[in-house]
Amino acid sequence: MGNSKHMKSQKINRLKVVLVENGKTGKWLAEQIGKNEATVSRWCSNKIQPSLDKLVKIAKILNVDPRQHINGCNNE
Protein backbone atom coordinates (compact mmCIF):
# COMPACT_ATOMS: atom_id res chain seq x y z
CA MET A 1 0.00 0.00 0.00
CA GLY A 2 2.85 2.39 0.71
CA ASN A 3 4.01 2.14 -2.90
CA SER A 4 0.78 3.45 -4.43
CA LYS A 5 1.69 7.05 -3.64
CA HIS A 6 5.15 6.57 -5.14
CA MET A 7 3.73 5.01 -8.29
CA LYS A 8 1.31 7.90 -8.76
CA SER A 9 4.19 10.38 -8.67
CA GLN A 10 6.25 8.56 -11.31
CA LYS A 11 6.60 10.34 -14.62
CA ILE A 12 5.63 7.51 -16.93
CA ASN A 13 4.98 9.37 -20.16
CA ARG A 14 6.92 12.11 -21.92
CA LEU A 15 3.94 13.54 -23.77
CA LYS A 16 4.56 17.13 -22.65
CA VAL A 17 8.18 16.97 -23.83
CA VAL A 18 7.24 15.40 -27.16
CA LEU A 19 4.62 18.09 -27.78
CA VAL A 20 7.17 20.84 -27.05
CA GLU A 21 9.76 19.16 -29.28
CA ASN A 22 7.19 19.19 -32.09
CA GLY A 23 6.01 22.75 -31.47
CA LYS A 24 2.49 21.62 -30.53
CA THR A 25 0.20 22.42 -27.62
CA GLY A 26 -2.07 20.30 -25.47
CA LYS A 27 -5.02 22.22 -26.90
CA TRP A 28 -3.95 21.32 -30.44
CA LEU A 29 -3.56 17.65 -29.50
CA ALA A 30 -6.95 17.59 -27.79
CA GLU A 31 -8.56 18.87 -30.98
CA GLN A 32 -6.71 16.31 -33.11
CA ILE A 33 -7.78 13.30 -31.06
CA GLY A 34 -11.22 14.50 -30.00
CA LYS A 35 -10.44 14.63 -26.29
CA ASN A 36 -11.08 17.28 -23.67
CA GLU A 37 -8.16 19.68 -23.21
CA ALA A 38 -8.23 18.99 -19.44
CA THR A 39 -7.69 15.26 -20.11
CA VAL A 40 -4.66 15.98 -22.30
CA SER A 41 -3.35 18.33 -19.61
CA ARG A 42 -3.60 15.54 -17.01
CA TRP A 43 -1.73 13.23 -19.40
CA CYS A 44 1.00 15.84 -19.84
CA SER A 45 1.37 16.30 -16.09
CA ASN A 46 1.33 12.51 -15.53
CA LYS A 47 -1.68 12.74 -13.22
CA ILE A 48 -3.35 10.09 -15.40
CA GLN A 49 -2.03 7.98 -18.26
CA PRO A 50 -3.45 7.63 -21.76
CA SER A 51 -4.15 4.15 -23.01
CA LEU A 52 -1.57 2.45 -25.19
CA ASP A 53 -3.97 2.84 -28.13
CA LYS A 54 -4.11 6.60 -27.51
CA LEU A 55 -0.31 6.84 -27.27
CA VAL A 56 0.01 5.07 -30.61
CA LYS A 57 -2.61 7.39 -32.15
CA ILE A 58 -0.82 10.45 -30.75
CA ALA A 59 2.50 9.18 -32.13
CA LYS A 60 0.96 8.83 -35.60
CA ILE A 61 -0.47 12.36 -35.42
CA LEU A 62 2.93 13.74 -34.37
CA ASN A 63 4.79 11.44 -36.81
CA VAL A 64 7.05 10.04 -34.08
CA ASP A 65 7.89 6.59 -32.72
CA PRO A 66 5.42 5.68 -29.93
CA ARG A 67 8.37 4.76 -27.71
CA GLN A 68 9.30 8.47 -27.58
CA HIS A 69 6.26 8.97 -25.33
CA ILE A 70 7.42 6.59 -22.61
CA ASN A 71 10.15 7.34 -20.09
CA GLY A 72 12.93 4.79 -20.02
CA CYS A 73 12.61 3.80 -23.70
CA ASN A 74 15.77 4.57 -25.65
CA ASN A 75 15.32 4.28 -29.36
CA GLU A 76 18.55 5.72 -30.66
Coordinates of all heavy atoms in Angstrom, one line a residue:
M1 N 0.8 -1.2 0.0 CA 0.0 0.0 0.0 C 0.8 1.3 0.0 O 0.5 2.2 -0.6 CB -0.9 0.0 1.2 CG -2.1 -0.8 1.1 SD -3.2 -0.5 2.4 CE -4.2 -2.0 2.3
G2 N 2.0 1.2 0.6 CA 2.8 2.4 0.7 C 3.4 2.8 -0.6 O 3.8 3.9 -0.8
N3 N 3.5 1.9 -1.6 CA 4.0 2.1 -2.9 C 3.0 2.9 -3.8 O 3.5 3.4 -4.8 CB 4.5 0.9 -3.6 CG 5.7 0.3 -2.9 OD1 6.4 1.0 -2.2 ND2 6.0 -1.0 -3.1
S4 N 1.7 2.8 -3.5 CA 0.8 3.4 -4.4 C 1.0 4.9 -4.6 O 0.9 5.5 -5.7 CB -0.7 3.2 -4.0 OG -0.9 3.8 -2.7
K5 N 1.4 5.6 -3.5 CA 1.7 7.1 -3.6 C 2.9 7.3 -4.5 O 2.9 8.2 -5.4 CB 2.0 7.6 -2.3 CG 1.0 8.6 -1.8 CD 1.4 9.3 -0.5 CE 0.3 10.3 -0.1 NZ 0.6 10.9 1.1
H6 N 3.9 6.5 -4.3 CA 5.1 6.6 -5.1 C 4.9 6.3 -6.6 O 5.3 7.1 -7.5 CB 6.2 5.6 -4.6 CG 7.4 5.6 -5.5 ND1 8.3 6.6 -5.5 CD2 7.9 4.7 -6.3 CE1 9.3 6.4 -6.4 NE2 9.1 5.1 -6.9
M7 N 4.0 5.3 -6.9 CA 3.7 5.0 -8.3 C 3.0 6.2 -8.9 O 3.2 6.5 -10.1 CB 2.9 3.7 -8.4 CG 3.8 2.5 -8.1 SD 2.9 1.0 -8.3 CE 2.8 0.9 -10.1
K8 N 2.1 6.8 -8.2 CA 1.3 7.9 -8.8 C 2.2 9.1 -9.1 O 1.9 9.8 -10.0 CB 0.2 8.4 -7.8 CG -0.9 7.4 -7.7 CD -2.0 8.0 -6.7 CE -3.1 7.0 -6.6 NZ -4.1 7.4 -5.6
S9 N 3.3 9.2 -8.4 CA 4.2 10.4 -8.7 C 5.2 10.1 -9.8 O 5.9 11.0 -10.2 CB 4.9 10.8 -7.4 OG 5.8 9.8 -7.0
Q10 N 5.3 8.9 -10.3 CA 6.2 8.6 -11.3 C 5.8 9.2 -12.6 O 4.7 9.3 -13.0 CB 6.3 7.1 -11.6 CG 7.1 6.3 -10.5 CD 7.1 4.8 -10.8 OE1 6.2 4.2 -11.2 NE2 8.3 4.3 -10.7
K11 N 6.8 9.7 -13.3 CA 6.6 10.3 -14.6 C 6.7 9.3 -15.7 O 7.8 9.0 -16.1 CB 7.6 11.5 -14.8 CG 7.5 12.5 -13.7 CD 7.2 13.8 -14.3 CE 7.1 14.9 -13.3 NZ 5.8 15.1 -12.7
I12 N 5.6 8.7 -16.0 CA 5.6 7.5 -16.9 C 5.7 7.9 -18.4 O 6.5 7.4 -19.2 CB 4.4 6.6 -16.7 CG1 4.4 6.1 -15.3 CG2 4.3 5.5 -17.7 CD1 3.1 5.4 -14.9
N13 N 4.9 9.0 -18.8 CA 5.0 9.4 -20.2 C 5.7 10.7 -20.3 O 5.9 11.5 -19.4 CB 3.6 9.4 -20.8 CG 2.8 10.7 -20.4 OD1 3.2 11.8 -20.7 ND2 1.7 10.5 -19.6
R14 N 6.2 10.9 -21.5 CA 6.9 12.1 -21.9 C 6.1 13.0 -22.9 O 6.7 13.7 -23.7 CB 8.2 11.7 -22.6 CG 9.2 10.9 -21.8 CD 10.4 10.6 -22.7 NE 11.2 11.8 -23.0 CZ 11.3 12.2 -24.3 NH1 10.7 11.6 -25.3 NH2 11.9 13.3 -24.6
L15 N 4.8 12.9 -22.8 CA 3.9 13.5 -23.8 C 4.2 15.1 -23.8 O 4.3 15.6 -24.9 CB 2.5 13.3 -23.5 CG 1.5 13.8 -24.4 CD1 1.8 13.3 -25.9 CD2 0.1 13.3 -24.0
K16 N 4.3 15.7 -22.7 CA 4.6 17.1 -22.6 C 5.8 17.5 -23.4 O 5.9 18.4 -24.2 CB 4.6 17.6 -21.2 CG 4.8 19.1 -21.1 CD 4.7 19.5 -19.6 CE 4.8 21.0 -19.5 NZ 4.7 21.4 -18.1
V17 N 6.9 16.7 -23.2 CA 8.2 17.0 -23.8 C 8.1 16.8 -25.3 O 8.6 17.6 -26.1 CB 9.3 16.0 -23.2 CG1 10.6 16.2 -24.0 CG2 9.5 16.4 -21.8
V18 N 7.4 15.7 -25.7 CA 7.2 15.4 -27.2 C 6.4 16.5 -27.9 O 6.8 16.9 -29.0 CB 6.6 14.0 -27.4 CG1 6.3 13.8 -28.8 CG2 7.5 12.9 -26.8
L19 N 5.4 17.0 -27.2 CA 4.6 18.1 -27.8 C 5.5 19.3 -28.0 O 5.5 19.9 -29.0 CB 3.4 18.4 -26.9 CG 2.2 17.5 -27.0 CD1 1.2 17.8 -25.9 CD2 1.6 17.5 -28.3
V20 N 6.3 19.7 -27.0 CA 7.2 20.8 -27.1 C 8.2 20.6 -28.2 O 8.4 21.6 -29.0 CB 7.9 21.1 -25.7 CG1 9.0 22.2 -25.9 CG2 6.9 21.6 -24.7
E21 N 8.8 19.5 -28.2 CA 9.8 19.2 -29.3 C 9.2 19.3 -30.7 O 9.9 19.6 -31.6 CB 10.3 17.7 -29.1 CG 11.2 17.6 -27.9 CD 11.6 16.1 -27.7 OE1 11.1 15.2 -28.3 OE2 12.5 15.9 -26.8
N22 N 7.9 19.1 -30.8 CA 7.2 19.2 -32.1 C 6.5 20.5 -32.3 O 5.7 20.7 -33.3 CB 6.2 18.0 -32.3 CG 7.0 16.7 -32.5 OD1 7.3 16.4 -33.7 ND2 7.3 16.0 -31.5
G23 N 6.6 21.4 -31.3 CA 6.0 22.8 -31.5 C 4.5 22.7 -31.4 O 3.8 23.5 -32.0
K24 N 3.9 21.8 -30.6 CA 2.5 21.6 -30.5 C 2.0 21.9 -29.1 O 2.8 21.7 -28.2 CB 2.1 20.2 -31.0 CG 2.5 19.8 -32.4 CD 1.9 20.7 -33.4 CE 2.3 20.2 -34.8 NZ 1.8 21.1 -35.8
T25 N 0.8 22.2 -28.9 CA 0.2 22.4 -27.6 C -0.8 21.3 -27.2 O -1.2 20.5 -28.1 CB -0.6 23.8 -27.6 OG1 -1.7 23.6 -28.5 CG2 0.3 24.9 -28.0
G26 N -1.1 21.3 -25.9 CA -2.1 20.3 -25.5 C -3.4 20.6 -26.1 O -4.2 19.6 -26.4
K27 N -3.7 21.9 -26.3 CA -5.0 22.2 -26.9 C -5.1 21.7 -28.3 O -6.1 21.1 -28.7 CB -5.2 23.7 -26.9 CG -6.5 24.2 -27.5 CD -6.6 25.7 -27.5 CE -7.9 26.1 -28.1 NZ -8.1 27.6 -28.0
W28 N -4.0 21.8 -29.1 CA -3.9 21.3 -30.4 C -4.1 19.8 -30.4 O -4.9 19.3 -31.2 CB -2.6 21.7 -31.1 CG -2.4 21.1 -32.4 CD1 -2.8 21.6 -33.6 CD2 -1.8 19.8 -32.7 NE1 -2.5 20.8 -34.6 CE2 -1.8 19.7 -34.1 CE3 -1.2 18.8 -32.0 CZ2 -1.3 18.5 -34.8 CZ3 -0.7 17.7 -32.6 CH2 -0.7 17.6 -34.0
L29 N -3.4 19.1 -29.5 CA -3.6 17.7 -29.5 C -5.0 17.2 -29.1 O -5.5 16.3 -29.8 CB -2.6 17.1 -28.5 CG -2.6 15.6 -28.4 CD1 -2.3 14.9 -29.7 CD2 -1.6 15.1 -27.3
A30 N -5.6 17.9 -28.2 CA -7.0 17.6 -27.8 C -7.9 17.7 -29.0 O -8.8 16.8 -29.2 CB -7.4 18.5 -26.7
E31 N -7.7 18.7 -29.8 CA -8.6 18.9 -31.0 C -8.3 17.8 -32.0 O -9.2 17.3 -32.6 CB -8.3 20.2 -31.6 CG -8.8 21.4 -30.8 CD -8.3 22.7 -31.3 OE1 -7.5 22.8 -32.3 OE2 -8.7 23.8 -30.7
Q32 N -7.1 17.3 -32.1 CA -6.7 16.3 -33.1 C -7.3 14.9 -32.8 O -7.7 14.2 -33.6 CB -5.2 16.2 -33.2 CG -4.5 17.4 -33.7 CD -5.0 17.9 -35.1 OE1 -5.0 17.1 -36.0 NE2 -5.4 19.1 -35.1
I33 N -7.3 14.6 -31.5 CA -7.8 13.3 -31.1 C -9.2 13.3 -30.5 O -9.7 12.2 -30.1 CB -6.8 12.6 -30.1 CG1 -6.7 13.5 -28.8 CG2 -5.4 12.4 -30.7 CD1 -5.9 12.8 -27.7
G34 N -9.8 14.4 -30.5 CA -11.2 14.5 -30.0 C -11.4 14.3 -28.5 O -12.3 13.7 -28.1
K35 N -10.4 14.7 -27.7 CA -10.4 14.6 -26.3 C -10.5 16.0 -25.7 O -10.2 17.0 -26.3 CB -9.2 13.9 -25.7 CG -9.2 12.5 -25.9 CD -10.2 11.8 -25.0 CE -9.9 10.4 -24.8 NZ -10.9 9.8 -23.9
N36 N -11.0 16.0 -24.4 CA -11.1 17.3 -23.7 C -9.7 17.8 -23.4 O -8.8 17.0 -23.1 CB -11.8 17.0 -22.4 CG -12.1 18.2 -21.5 OD1 -11.2 18.9 -21.1 ND2 -13.4 18.5 -21.3
E37 N -9.5 19.1 -23.5 CA -8.2 19.7 -23.2 C -7.7 19.4 -21.8 O -6.5 19.2 -21.6 CB -8.2 21.2 -23.4 CG -6.9 21.9 -23.4 CD -6.9 23.3 -23.7 OE1 -8.0 23.8 -24.2 OE2 -5.9 24.0 -23.5
A38 N -8.6 19.3 -20.8 CA -8.2 19.0 -19.4 C -7.7 17.6 -19.3 O -6.7 17.3 -18.6 CB -9.4 19.1 -18.5
T39 N -8.2 16.6 -20.1 CA -7.7 15.3 -20.1 C -6.3 15.2 -20.6 O -5.4 14.6 -20.0 CB -8.6 14.3 -21.0 OG1 -9.9 14.3 -20.4 CG2 -8.0 12.9 -21.0
V40 N -6.0 15.9 -21.7 CA -4.7 16.0 -22.3 C -3.7 16.6 -21.3 O -2.6 16.2 -21.1 CB -4.7 16.7 -23.7 CG1 -3.2 16.9 -24.2 CG2 -5.5 15.9 -24.7
S41 N -4.2 17.7 -20.6 CA -3.3 18.3 -19.6 C -3.0 17.4 -18.5 O -1.8 17.3 -18.0 CB -4.1 19.5 -19.0 OG -3.4 20.1 -18.0
R42 N -3.9 16.5 -18.1 CA -3.6 15.5 -17.0 C -2.6 14.5 -17.5 O -1.8 14.0 -16.8 CB -4.9 14.9 -16.5 CG -5.7 15.9 -15.6 CD -6.8 15.2 -14.9 NE -7.9 14.7 -15.7 CZ -9.0 15.3 -16.1 NH1 -9.2 16.6 -15.7 NH2 -9.9 14.8 -16.9
W43 N -2.7 14.1 -18.8 CA -1.7 13.2 -19.4 C -0.4 13.9 -19.4 O 0.6 13.2 -19.0 CB -2.1 12.9 -20.9 CG -3.3 12.1 -21.1 CD1 -4.0 11.3 -20.2 CD2 -3.9 11.9 -22.3 NE1 -5.0 10.7 -20.8 CE2 -5.0 11.0 -22.1 CE3 -3.7 12.4 -23.6 CZ2 -5.9 10.6 -23.1 CZ3 -4.6 12.0 -24.6 CH2 -5.7 11.1 -24.4
C44 N -0.3 15.1 -19.8 CA 1.0 15.8 -19.8 C 1.6 16.0 -18.5 O 2.9 16.0 -18.4 CB 0.8 17.2 -20.5 SG 0.5 17.1 -22.3
S45 N 0.8 16.1 -17.4 CA 1.4 16.3 -16.1 C 1.5 15.0 -15.4 O 1.9 14.9 -14.2 CB 0.5 17.2 -15.3 OG -0.8 16.7 -15.1
N46 N 1.2 13.9 -16.1 CA 1.3 12.5 -15.5 C 0.4 12.3 -14.3 O 0.7 11.4 -13.5 CB 2.8 12.2 -15.2 CG 3.6 11.7 -16.3 OD1 3.5 10.5 -16.7 ND2 4.3 12.5 -17.0
K47 N -0.7 13.0 -14.3 CA -1.7 12.7 -13.2 C -2.5 11.5 -13.6 O -2.9 10.8 -12.7 CB -2.6 13.9 -13.0 CG -1.8 15.1 -12.4 CD -2.7 16.3 -12.1 CE -1.9 17.4 -11.5 NZ -2.6 18.6 -11.4
I48 N -2.7 11.3 -14.9 CA -3.3 10.1 -15.4 C -2.6 9.7 -16.6 O -1.8 10.5 -17.2 CB -4.9 10.3 -15.7 CG1 -5.0 11.3 -16.8 CG2 -5.7 10.6 -14.5 CD1 -6.5 11.4 -17.3
Q49 N -2.8 8.5 -17.1 CA -2.0 8.0 -18.3 C -3.0 7.7 -19.4 O -4.1 7.1 -19.2 CB -1.2 6.7 -17.9 CG -0.2 6.9 -16.9 CD 0.8 8.0 -17.3 OE1 1.3 8.0 -18.4 NE2 1.2 8.8 -16.3
P50 N -2.6 8.0 -20.6 CA -3.4 7.6 -21.8 C -3.3 6.1 -22.0 O -2.3 5.5 -21.6 CB -2.9 8.5 -22.9 CG -1.5 8.7 -22.5 CD -1.5 8.8 -21.0
S51 N -4.3 5.6 -22.7 CA -4.2 4.1 -23.0 C -3.0 4.0 -24.0 O -2.6 4.9 -24.7 CB -5.5 3.6 -23.6 OG -5.7 4.3 -24.8
L52 N -2.6 2.8 -24.2 CA -1.6 2.4 -25.2 C -2.1 2.8 -26.6 O -1.4 3.3 -27.4 CB -1.2 1.0 -25.1 CG 0.0 0.5 -26.0 CD1 1.2 1.4 -25.8 CD2 0.3 -0.9 -25.7
D53 N -3.4 2.5 -26.8 CA -4.0 2.8 -28.1 C -3.9 4.3 -28.4 O -3.6 4.8 -29.5 CB -5.4 2.4 -28.2 CG -5.6 0.9 -28.3 OD1 -4.6 0.2 -28.6 OD2 -6.7 0.4 -28.1
K54 N -4.2 5.1 -27.4 CA -4.1 6.6 -27.5 C -2.7 7.1 -27.8 O -2.4 7.9 -28.6 CB -4.7 7.3 -26.3 CG -6.2 7.3 -26.2 CD -6.8 8.3 -27.1 CE -8.3 8.3 -27.0 NZ -9.0 8.1 -28.2
L55 N -1.7 6.5 -27.0 CA -0.3 6.8 -27.3 C 0.1 6.6 -28.7 O 0.8 7.4 -29.3 CB 0.6 6.1 -26.3 CG 0.7 6.7 -24.9 CD1 1.6 5.8 -24.0 CD2 1.2 8.1 -24.9
V56 N -0.3 5.4 -29.2 CA 0.0 5.1 -30.6 C -0.6 6.1 -31.6 O 0.0 6.6 -32.5 CB -0.4 3.6 -30.9 CG1 -0.3 3.3 -32.4 CG2 0.5 2.6 -30.1
K57 N -1.9 6.4 -31.3 CA -2.6 7.4 -32.2 C -1.9 8.7 -32.1 O -1.7 9.4 -33.1 CB -4.1 7.5 -31.7 CG -4.9 8.4 -32.5 CD -6.4 8.4 -32.1 CE -7.2 9.3 -33.0 NZ -8.6 9.2 -32.7
I58 N -1.5 9.2 -30.9 CA -0.8 10.4 -30.8 C 0.5 10.4 -31.5 O 0.9 11.4 -32.2 CB -0.6 10.8 -29.3 CG1 -1.9 11.0 -28.6 CG2 0.4 11.9 -29.1 CD1 -1.9 11.0 -27.1
A59 N 1.2 9.3 -31.4 CA 2.5 9.2 -32.1 C 2.3 9.3 -33.6 O 3.1 10.0 -34.3 CB 3.2 7.8 -31.8
K60 N 1.2 8.7 -34.2 CA 1.0 8.8 -35.6 C 0.7 10.3 -36.0 O 1.1 10.8 -37.0 CB -0.2 7.9 -36.0 CG 0.2 6.5 -36.0 CD -1.0 5.6 -36.5 CE -0.6 4.1 -36.5 NZ -1.7 3.3 -36.8
I61 N -0.1 11.0 -35.1 CA -0.5 12.4 -35.4 C 0.8 13.2 -35.4 O 0.9 14.1 -36.3 CB -1.5 12.9 -34.4 CG1 -2.8 12.2 -34.6 CG2 -1.6 14.4 -34.5 CD1 -3.8 12.4 -33.5
L62 N 1.7 13.0 -34.5 CA 2.9 13.7 -34.4 C 4.1 13.2 -35.3 O 5.1 13.8 -35.3 CB 3.4 13.8 -32.9 CG 2.5 14.5 -31.9 CD1 3.0 14.3 -30.5 CD2 2.5 16.0 -32.3
N63 N 3.8 12.1 -35.9 CA 4.8 11.4 -36.8 C 6.1 11.1 -36.1 O 7.2 11.5 -36.5 CB 5.1 12.3 -38.0 CG 5.7 11.5 -39.1 OD1 5.5 10.3 -39.3 ND2 6.6 12.2 -39.9
V64 N 5.9 10.5 -34.9 CA 7.1 10.0 -34.1 C 6.9 8.6 -33.7 O 5.8 8.0 -33.8 CB 7.2 10.9 -32.8 CG1 7.5 12.4 -33.2 CG2 6.0 10.8 -31.9
D65 N 7.9 8.0 -33.2 CA 7.9 6.6 -32.7 C 7.1 6.6 -31.4 O 7.4 7.4 -30.5 CB 9.3 6.1 -32.5 CG 9.4 4.6 -32.2 OD1 8.7 4.2 -31.3 OD2 10.2 3.9 -32.8
P66 N 6.2 5.7 -31.2 CA 5.4 5.7 -29.9 C 6.3 5.5 -28.7 O 6.0 6.0 -27.6 CB 4.5 4.5 -30.1 CG 4.4 4.2 -31.5 CD 5.7 4.7 -32.1
R67 N 7.5 4.9 -28.9 CA 8.4 4.8 -27.7 C 8.9 6.1 -27.2 O 9.3 6.2 -26.1 CB 9.5 3.8 -28.1 CG 9.1 2.4 -28.3 CD 10.2 1.5 -28.8 NE 10.5 1.9 -30.1 CZ 11.5 1.4 -30.9 NH1 12.2 0.4 -30.4 NH2 11.7 1.8 -32.1
Q68 N 8.8 7.1 -28.0 CA 9.3 8.5 -27.6 C 8.4 9.0 -26.5 O 8.8 10.0 -25.8 CB 9.4 9.4 -28.7 CG 10.5 9.2 -29.7 CD 10.6 10.3 -30.8 OE1 9.6 10.8 -31.2 NE2 11.8 10.6 -31.1
H69 N 7.2 8.5 -26.3 CA 6.3 9.0 -25.3 C 6.5 8.4 -24.0 O 5.8 8.8 -23.0 CB 4.8 8.7 -25.8 CG 4.4 9.4 -27.0 ND1 4.3 10.8 -27.0 CD2 4.0 9.0 -28.2 CE1 3.9 11.1 -28.2 NE2 3.7 10.1 -28.9
I70 N 7.3 7.3 -23.9 CA 7.4 6.6 -22.6 C 8.8 6.8 -22.0 O 9.8 6.6 -22.7 CB 7.1 5.1 -22.8 CG1 5.7 4.9 -23.5 CG2 7.2 4.3 -21.5 CD1 5.4 3.5 -24.0
N71 N 8.9 7.2 -20.8 CA 10.1 7.3 -20.1 C 10.8 6.0 -20.0 O 10.2 5.0 -19.7 CB 10.0 7.9 -18.7 CG 9.9 9.4 -18.7 OD1 10.5 10.1 -19.5 ND2 9.1 10.0 -17.8
G72 N 12.2 6.0 -20.2 CA 12.9 4.8 -20.0 C 13.1 4.0 -21.3 O 13.8 3.1 -21.3
C73 N 12.5 4.5 -22.4 CA 12.6 3.8 -23.7 C 13.6 4.6 -24.5 O 13.4 5.7 -24.9 CB 11.3 3.7 -24.5 SG 10.2 2.5 -23.8
N74 N 14.7 4.0 -24.8 CA 15.8 4.6 -25.6 C 15.6 4.0 -27.0 O 15.7 2.8 -27.2 CB 17.2 4.3 -25.1 CG 17.4 5.0 -23.8 OD1 16.8 6.1 -23.5 ND2 18.2 4.4 -22.9
N75 N 15.5 4.8 -28.0 CA 15.3 4.3 -29.4 C 16.3 4.9 -30.3 O 16.0 5.2 -31.4 CB 13.9 4.4 -29.9 CG 13.3 5.8 -29.6 OD1 13.8 6.5 -28.7 ND2 12.2 6.2 -30.2
E76 N 17.5 5.2 -29.8 CA 18.5 5.7 -30.7 C 19.5 4.6 -31.0 O 19.7 3.7 -30.4 CB 19.3 6.8 -29.9 CG 18.4 8.0 -29.7 CD 19.1 9.2 -29.0 OE1 20.3 9.1 -28.9 OE2 18.4 10.0 -28.5

